[in-house]
Amino acid sequence: MADIFSKWIKGLDKTRKVTFSRLTSVFGTNEIDDYLWDDLEEILIQADLGIDTSADILKSLKRTAADQGLFKANDLVKFLKIELMNRLKDVPDPFQDAKDAKPFVILMVGVNGSGKTTTTAKLAKIYQQSGKKVMIAAGDTFRAAAIDQLQVWGDRLNIPVIAGKEGGDSAAVAYDAVQAAIARGSDILIIDTAGRLQSRFNLMEELKKVHRVIGKALDGAPHATWIVLDATTGQNALSQAKSFKESVKVNGAILAKLDTSAKGGMAFAIARELDLPIIYAGLGEKPEDLERFNRESFVEGIIGD
Protein backbone atom coordinates (compact mmCIF):
# COMPACT_ATOMS: atom_id res chain seq x y z
CA MET A 1 0.00 0.00 0.00
CA ALA A 2 2.85 2.36 0.84
CA ASP A 3 4.43 1.67 -2.56
CA ILE A 4 1.20 2.57 -4.35
CA PHE A 5 0.84 5.77 -2.33
CA SER A 6 4.43 6.80 -3.06
CA LYS A 7 3.75 6.16 -6.75
CA TRP A 8 0.90 8.69 -6.63
CA ILE A 9 3.09 11.20 -4.82
CA LYS A 10 5.83 10.81 -7.43
CA GLY A 11 3.43 10.74 -10.39
CA LEU A 12 1.71 13.96 -9.34
CA ASP A 13 4.94 15.75 -8.46
CA LYS A 14 4.66 18.30 -11.27
CA THR A 15 1.06 19.29 -10.50
CA ARG A 16 1.92 19.60 -6.81
CA LYS A 17 5.06 21.68 -7.31
CA VAL A 18 3.85 23.97 -10.09
CA THR A 19 0.48 24.89 -8.64
CA PHE A 20 -0.41 23.50 -5.23
CA SER A 21 3.00 24.19 -3.69
CA ARG A 22 1.81 27.77 -3.23
CA LEU A 23 -0.55 26.50 -0.57
CA THR A 24 2.42 26.26 1.79
CA SER A 25 2.95 29.99 1.81
CA VAL A 26 -0.76 30.84 1.69
CA PHE A 27 -1.69 28.53 4.56
CA GLY A 28 1.56 29.04 6.50
CA THR A 29 1.06 31.33 9.48
CA ASN A 30 -1.60 33.52 7.92
CA GLU A 31 -4.96 34.17 9.44
CA ILE A 32 -8.15 33.56 7.51
CA ASP A 33 -9.06 36.78 5.70
CA ASP A 34 -10.17 38.06 2.30
CA TYR A 35 -6.60 37.98 0.99
CA LEU A 36 -6.35 34.27 1.78
CA TRP A 37 -9.61 33.48 -0.03
CA ASP A 38 -8.43 35.44 -3.08
CA ASP A 39 -5.08 33.61 -3.13
CA LEU A 40 -6.75 30.22 -2.70
CA GLU A 41 -9.18 30.90 -5.53
CA GLU A 42 -6.29 31.86 -7.83
CA ILE A 43 -4.42 28.64 -6.96
CA LEU A 44 -7.43 26.42 -7.62
CA ILE A 45 -8.20 28.05 -10.96
CA GLN A 46 -4.56 27.89 -12.08
CA ALA A 47 -4.56 24.19 -11.18
CA ASP A 48 -7.30 23.75 -13.80
CA LEU A 49 -10.14 22.89 -11.44
CA GLY A 50 -12.34 25.27 -13.38
CA ILE A 51 -14.03 28.48 -12.23
CA ASP A 52 -17.29 26.87 -11.09
CA THR A 53 -15.61 24.08 -9.13
CA SER A 54 -13.22 26.54 -7.48
CA ALA A 55 -16.12 28.82 -6.50
CA ASP A 56 -18.04 25.89 -4.97
CA ILE A 57 -15.04 24.81 -2.92
CA LEU A 58 -14.42 28.34 -1.61
CA LYS A 59 -18.08 28.75 -0.69
CA SER A 60 -18.06 25.50 1.25
CA LEU A 61 -14.74 26.27 2.98
CA LYS A 62 -15.98 29.69 4.08
CA ARG A 63 -19.05 28.07 5.58
CA THR A 64 -16.89 25.46 7.35
CA ALA A 65 -14.56 28.15 8.72
CA ALA A 66 -17.54 30.03 10.15
CA ASP A 67 -19.22 26.93 11.58
CA GLN A 68 -15.99 25.59 13.12
CA GLY A 69 -14.81 28.98 14.36
CA LEU A 70 -11.50 28.70 12.49
CA PHE A 71 -9.02 31.59 12.54
CA LYS A 72 -5.71 30.13 11.38
CA ALA A 73 -5.27 29.39 7.68
CA ASN A 74 -3.45 26.10 8.21
CA ASP A 75 -6.55 24.73 9.96
CA LEU A 76 -8.21 24.75 6.54
CA VAL A 77 -5.87 22.19 4.95
CA LYS A 78 -7.71 19.06 6.11
CA PHE A 79 -11.04 20.58 5.13
CA LEU A 80 -9.70 21.47 1.68
CA LYS A 81 -8.66 17.85 1.18
CA ILE A 82 -12.14 16.69 2.20
CA GLU A 83 -13.76 19.14 -0.21
CA LEU A 84 -11.57 17.91 -3.06
CA MET A 85 -12.19 14.24 -2.29
CA ASN A 86 -15.94 14.78 -2.12
CA ARG A 87 -15.86 15.99 -5.71
CA LEU A 88 -14.37 12.77 -7.02
CA LYS A 89 -15.64 9.21 -7.00
CA ASP A 90 -13.88 5.96 -6.34
CA VAL A 91 -15.43 3.84 -9.08
CA PRO A 92 -14.85 0.08 -9.31
CA ASP A 93 -13.71 -1.25 -12.66
CA PRO A 94 -16.99 -2.01 -14.49
CA PHE A 95 -15.54 -5.34 -15.59
CA GLN A 96 -15.66 -6.62 -12.01
CA ASP A 97 -19.46 -6.42 -12.01
CA ALA A 98 -19.95 -7.74 -15.55
CA LYS A 99 -20.58 -11.35 -14.69
CA ASP A 100 -22.70 -12.13 -17.73
CA ALA A 101 -20.65 -10.30 -20.36
CA LYS A 102 -18.16 -12.56 -22.10
CA PRO A 103 -16.23 -11.19 -23.72
CA PHE A 104 -16.40 -7.86 -21.90
CA VAL A 105 -15.74 -5.38 -24.71
CA ILE A 106 -13.91 -2.11 -24.03
CA LEU A 107 -13.79 0.52 -26.78
CA MET A 108 -10.92 3.00 -26.47
CA VAL A 109 -11.46 6.46 -27.97
CA GLY A 110 -9.74 9.85 -27.93
CA VAL A 111 -7.97 12.50 -29.96
CA ASN A 112 -4.62 12.14 -31.71
CA GLY A 113 -1.65 11.88 -29.40
CA SER A 114 -3.61 11.27 -26.20
CA GLY A 115 -1.73 8.04 -25.45
CA LYS A 116 -4.60 5.75 -26.38
CA THR A 117 -2.68 2.93 -28.06
CA THR A 118 -0.10 2.73 -25.28
CA THR A 119 -2.86 2.77 -22.68
CA THR A 120 -4.64 -0.05 -24.52
CA ALA A 121 -1.54 -2.21 -24.24
CA LYS A 122 -1.06 -1.36 -20.57
CA LEU A 123 -4.68 -2.25 -19.82
CA ALA A 124 -4.29 -5.58 -21.59
CA LYS A 125 -1.29 -6.42 -19.43
CA ILE A 126 -3.12 -5.45 -16.22
CA TYR A 127 -6.07 -7.71 -17.04
CA GLN A 128 -3.84 -10.54 -18.17
CA GLN A 129 -1.88 -10.41 -14.93
CA SER A 130 -5.15 -10.63 -13.00
CA GLY A 131 -5.74 -14.00 -14.65
CA LYS A 132 -8.08 -12.97 -17.46
CA LYS A 133 -7.97 -14.19 -21.03
CA VAL A 134 -7.43 -11.02 -23.03
CA MET A 135 -7.56 -10.09 -26.71
CA ILE A 136 -6.67 -6.80 -28.43
CA ALA A 137 -8.07 -5.33 -31.64
CA ALA A 138 -5.82 -2.90 -33.52
CA GLY A 139 -8.62 -0.72 -34.85
CA ASP A 140 -6.40 2.25 -35.68
CA THR A 141 -6.07 1.46 -39.37
CA PHE A 142 -4.81 4.97 -40.18
CA ARG A 143 -1.41 4.47 -38.57
CA ALA A 144 0.73 1.48 -39.40
CA ALA A 145 2.77 2.35 -36.31
CA ALA A 146 -0.27 1.82 -34.08
CA ILE A 147 -0.86 -1.65 -35.54
CA ASP A 148 2.80 -2.57 -35.22
CA GLN A 149 2.94 -1.23 -31.67
CA LEU A 150 0.07 -3.41 -30.49
CA GLN A 151 1.38 -6.45 -32.32
CA VAL A 152 4.74 -6.03 -30.56
CA TRP A 153 2.93 -5.83 -27.24
CA GLY A 154 0.84 -8.85 -28.15
CA ASP A 155 3.92 -10.91 -28.99
CA ARG A 156 5.66 -9.83 -25.81
CA LEU A 157 2.70 -10.66 -23.57
CA ASN A 158 1.40 -13.61 -25.56
CA ILE A 159 -1.91 -11.81 -26.14
CA PRO A 160 -3.66 -12.34 -29.50
CA VAL A 161 -4.07 -9.20 -31.61
CA ILE A 162 -6.66 -8.89 -34.37
CA ALA A 163 -5.46 -6.37 -36.95
CA GLY A 164 -6.43 -5.22 -40.42
CA LYS A 165 -4.41 -3.58 -43.14
CA GLU A 166 -3.31 0.03 -43.00
CA GLY A 167 -6.07 2.14 -44.53
CA GLY A 168 -8.61 -0.66 -44.08
CA ASP A 169 -12.11 -0.55 -42.58
CA SER A 170 -11.79 -0.10 -38.82
CA ALA A 171 -15.39 -1.22 -38.26
CA ALA A 172 -14.64 -4.51 -40.02
CA VAL A 173 -11.62 -5.04 -37.75
CA ALA A 174 -13.80 -4.43 -34.69
CA TYR A 175 -16.47 -6.86 -35.94
CA ASP A 176 -13.91 -9.58 -36.69
CA ALA A 177 -12.29 -9.06 -33.30
CA VAL A 178 -15.58 -9.54 -31.44
CA GLN A 179 -16.29 -12.72 -33.39
CA ALA A 180 -12.78 -14.02 -32.69
CA ALA A 181 -13.04 -13.18 -28.98
CA ILE A 182 -16.31 -15.08 -28.74
CA ALA A 183 -14.90 -18.08 -30.60
CA ARG A 184 -11.77 -18.24 -28.42
CA GLY A 185 -13.60 -17.74 -25.13
CA SER A 186 -11.85 -14.49 -24.24
CA ASP A 187 -12.82 -12.72 -21.04
CA ILE A 188 -11.92 -9.24 -22.25
CA LEU A 189 -11.57 -7.63 -25.67
CA ILE A 190 -9.97 -4.18 -25.84
CA ILE A 191 -10.52 -2.34 -29.13
CA ASP A 192 -8.16 0.50 -29.99
CA THR A 193 -9.38 3.15 -32.44
CA ALA A 194 -7.71 5.86 -34.47
CA GLY A 195 -7.24 9.21 -32.77
CA ARG A 196 -9.49 11.86 -34.20
CA LEU A 197 -10.28 15.51 -33.57
CA GLN A 198 -13.78 15.94 -32.21
CA SER A 199 -14.39 18.71 -34.78
CA ARG A 200 -13.96 16.37 -37.76
CA PHE A 201 -17.51 15.31 -38.58
CA ASN A 202 -16.64 12.49 -40.98
CA LEU A 203 -14.21 10.88 -38.52
CA MET A 204 -16.71 11.07 -35.67
CA GLU A 205 -19.33 9.45 -37.91
CA GLU A 206 -16.88 6.65 -38.64
CA LEU A 207 -16.42 6.12 -34.91
CA LYS A 208 -20.19 5.90 -34.50
CA LYS A 209 -20.17 3.19 -37.16
CA VAL A 210 -17.51 1.23 -35.24
CA HIS A 211 -19.66 1.50 -32.11
CA ARG A 212 -22.79 0.26 -33.97
CA VAL A 213 -20.98 -2.63 -35.61
CA ILE A 214 -19.64 -3.85 -32.27
CA GLY A 215 -23.23 -3.92 -31.00
CA LYS A 216 -24.30 -5.99 -33.98
CA ALA A 217 -21.50 -8.48 -33.39
CA LEU A 218 -22.42 -8.86 -29.71
CA ASP A 219 -25.63 -7.64 -28.13
CA GLY A 220 -24.94 -5.06 -25.42
CA ALA A 221 -21.38 -4.36 -26.55
CA PRO A 222 -19.31 -2.32 -26.16
CA HIS A 223 -19.83 -2.71 -22.43
CA ALA A 224 -17.42 0.14 -21.67
CA THR A 225 -16.37 3.07 -23.84
CA TRP A 226 -13.46 4.88 -22.28
CA ILE A 227 -11.92 8.11 -23.48
CA VAL A 228 -8.18 8.53 -22.97
CA LEU A 229 -7.41 12.14 -22.09
CA ASP A 230 -3.99 13.74 -22.16
CA ALA A 231 -3.68 15.38 -18.74
CA THR A 232 -1.20 17.94 -20.10
CA THR A 233 -4.03 19.59 -22.10
CA GLY A 234 -5.95 20.62 -18.98
CA GLN A 235 -9.34 22.23 -19.56
CA ASN A 236 -9.04 21.71 -23.32
CA ALA A 237 -9.77 18.04 -22.69
CA LEU A 238 -13.31 18.89 -21.58
CA SER A 239 -14.58 19.84 -25.02
CA GLN A 240 -12.99 16.69 -26.42
CA ALA A 241 -14.68 14.46 -23.88
CA LYS A 242 -18.03 16.20 -24.32
CA SER A 243 -18.08 15.53 -28.07
CA PHE A 244 -17.06 11.90 -27.71
CA LYS A 245 -19.60 11.36 -24.93
CA GLU A 246 -22.38 12.63 -27.17
CA SER A 247 -21.26 10.57 -30.16
CA VAL A 248 -20.43 7.15 -28.72
CA LYS A 249 -21.80 7.13 -25.16
CA VAL A 250 -18.47 7.41 -23.37
CA ASN A 251 -18.99 6.17 -19.79
CA GLY A 252 -15.50 6.46 -18.32
CA ALA A 253 -12.22 8.35 -18.61
CA ILE A 254 -8.56 7.45 -18.33
CA LEU A 255 -6.15 10.27 -17.50
CA ALA A 256 -2.89 9.64 -19.32
CA LYS A 257 0.42 11.46 -18.77
CA LEU A 258 -0.45 12.77 -15.30
CA ASP A 259 3.22 12.49 -14.40
CA THR A 260 4.19 15.03 -17.05
CA SER A 261 1.32 17.44 -16.37
CA ALA A 262 0.97 20.45 -14.10
CA LYS A 263 -2.78 20.42 -14.78
CA GLY A 264 -3.94 17.44 -12.75
CA GLY A 265 -6.77 19.56 -11.38
CA MET A 266 -8.66 18.85 -14.60
CA ALA A 267 -9.90 15.68 -12.89
CA PHE A 268 -12.32 17.78 -10.84
CA ALA A 269 -13.67 19.57 -13.90
CA ILE A 270 -14.24 16.22 -15.63
CA ALA A 271 -16.19 14.97 -12.62
CA ARG A 272 -18.30 18.12 -12.32
CA GLU A 273 -18.98 19.15 -15.90
CA LEU A 274 -19.11 15.76 -17.60
CA ASP A 275 -20.13 13.44 -14.76
CA LEU A 276 -17.60 10.93 -16.05
CA PRO A 277 -15.91 8.54 -13.61
CA ILE A 278 -12.13 8.32 -13.90
CA ILE A 279 -11.30 4.61 -14.14
CA TYR A 280 -7.50 4.64 -14.52
CA ALA A 281 -4.67 7.16 -14.29
CA GLY A 282 -1.27 7.09 -15.99
CA LEU A 283 1.49 7.92 -13.51
CA GLY A 284 4.50 7.04 -15.67
CA GLU A 285 5.70 5.37 -18.85
CA LYS A 286 5.96 1.79 -17.58
CA PRO A 287 3.02 -0.61 -17.94
CA GLU A 288 2.76 -0.94 -14.17
CA ASP A 289 2.39 2.84 -13.88
CA LEU A 290 -1.22 2.68 -15.06
CA GLU A 291 -3.16 2.69 -11.78
CA ARG A 292 -6.79 2.31 -10.80
CA PHE A 293 -7.96 5.80 -9.92
CA ASN A 294 -8.13 6.44 -6.18
CA ARG A 295 -9.48 9.78 -5.03
CA GLU A 296 -7.71 9.78 -1.66
CA SER A 297 -4.33 8.99 -3.21
CA PHE A 298 -4.96 11.58 -5.92
CA VAL A 299 -5.80 14.39 -3.50
CA GLU A 300 -2.90 13.55 -1.19
CA GLY A 301 -0.67 13.46 -4.25
CA ILE A 302 -1.53 16.96 -5.44
CA ILE A 303 -1.70 18.61 -1.99
CA GLY A 304 1.06 16.77 -0.16
CA ASP A 305 1.80 17.57 3.50
Side-chain angles (χ1 to χ4, degrees):
M1 191 68 179
D3 289 342
I4 294 177
F5 183 69
S6 64
K7 184 180 290 187
W8 282 92
I9 291 291
K10 183 179 179 181
L12 292 166
D13 186 65
K14 194 167 184 178
T15 290
R16 186 173 60 257
K17 288 182 176 178
V18 173
T19 51
F20 286 97
S21 62
R22 288 182 55 201
L23 289 174
T24 302
S25 58
V26 171
F27 282 158
T29 57
N30 295 338
E31 293 184 352
I32 297 175
D33 55 22
D34 289 340
Y35 294 109
L36 178 136
W37 295 123
D38 289 342
D39 288 341
L40 182 55
E41 181 179 34
E42 182 182 344
I43 290 171
L44 295 178
I45 291 175
Q46 286 182 349
D48 260 46
L49 270 74
I51 294 175
D52 292 338
T53 302
S54 299
D56 281 351
I57 290 174
L58 284 177
K59 182 178 179 181
S60 184
L61 283 176
K62 287 179 181 179
R63 186 167 56 245
T64 297
D67 293 344
Q68 299 282 338
L70 304 178
F71 295 99
K72 292 184 178 180
N74 58 15
D75 290 335
L76 283 173
V77 176
K78 67 177 182 179
F79 294 105
L80 173 60
K81 289 183 178 180
I82 291 171
E83 287 295 331
L84 292 174
M85 275 191 279
N86 286 342
R87 283 162 173 76
L88 298 170
K89 297 177 182 178
D90 270 338
V91 182
D93 188 329
F95 171 70
Q96 304 305 324
D97 297 323
K99 299 176 182 177
D100 299 326
K102 186 172 181 177
F104 185 82
V105 181
I106 303 171
L107 182 65
M108 306 285 281
V109 302
V111 302
N112 311 67
S114 62
K116 185 166 38 54
T117 299
T118 301
T119 302
T120 296
K122 290 179 179 180
L123 265 183
K125 181 176 181 180
I126 288 173
Y127 286 130
Q128 184 197 51
Q129 289 182 328
S130 69
K132 305 304 177 185
K133 191 174 181 180
V134 185
M135 180 178 287
I136 301 172
D140 183 351
T141 56
F142 289 96
R143 292 190 308 128
I147 298 173
D148 293 342
Q149 185 179 358
L150 285 178
Q151 286 180 327
V152 168
W153 271 100
D155 291 341
R156 186 184 304 166
L157 300 173
N158 196 27
I159 293 176
V161 177
I162 303 299
K165 295 180 180 179
E166 182 183 0
D169 185 352
S170 55
V173 173
Y175 185 89
D176 290 344
V178 174
Q179 293 294 306
I182 294 172
R184 301 184 194 184
S186 298
D187 296 307
I188 297 177
L189 169 64
I190 308 175
I191 302 176
D192 186 26
T193 59
R196 62 201 73 219
L197 294 174
Q198 72 276 18
S199 57
R200 295 289 297 274
F201 176 80
N202 59 324
L203 295 179
M204 293 304 287
E205 287 299 306
E206 181 187 68
L207 189 58
K208 289 181 184 179
K209 178 184 174 184
V210 172
H211 193 277
R212 287 195 306 270
V213 165
I214 292 171
K216 290 179 180 178
L218 178 63
D219 189 41
H223 306 97
T225 302
W226 293 343
I227 184 168
V228 179
L229 297 171
D230 181 347
T232 64
T233 63
Q235 289 279 313
N236 290 334
L238 292 182
S239 60
Q240 299 171 12
K242 190 174 296 183
S243 296
F244 279 94
K245 186 178 180 183
E246 292 170 354
S247 297
V248 289
K249 302 177 183 177
V250 170
N251 54 17
I254 297 177
L255 290 185
K257 309 178 188 179
L258 265 176
D259 58 308
T260 61
S261 173
K263 302 179 178 181
M266 65 180 285
F268 300 97
I270 291 170
R272 174 191 170 92
E273 297 184 33
L274 299 173
D275 193 28
L276 276 180
I278 301 170
I279 312 296
Y280 282 89
L283 302 176
E285 296 181 358
K286 299 176 183 177
E288 57 269 23
D289 291 333
L290 185 66
E291 288 285 340
R292 287 284 293 111
F293 187 78
N294 180 285
R295 63 177 182 170
E296 183 177 0
S297 297
F298 179 77
V299 170
E300 290 292 342
I302 61 175
I303 300 295
D305 296 326

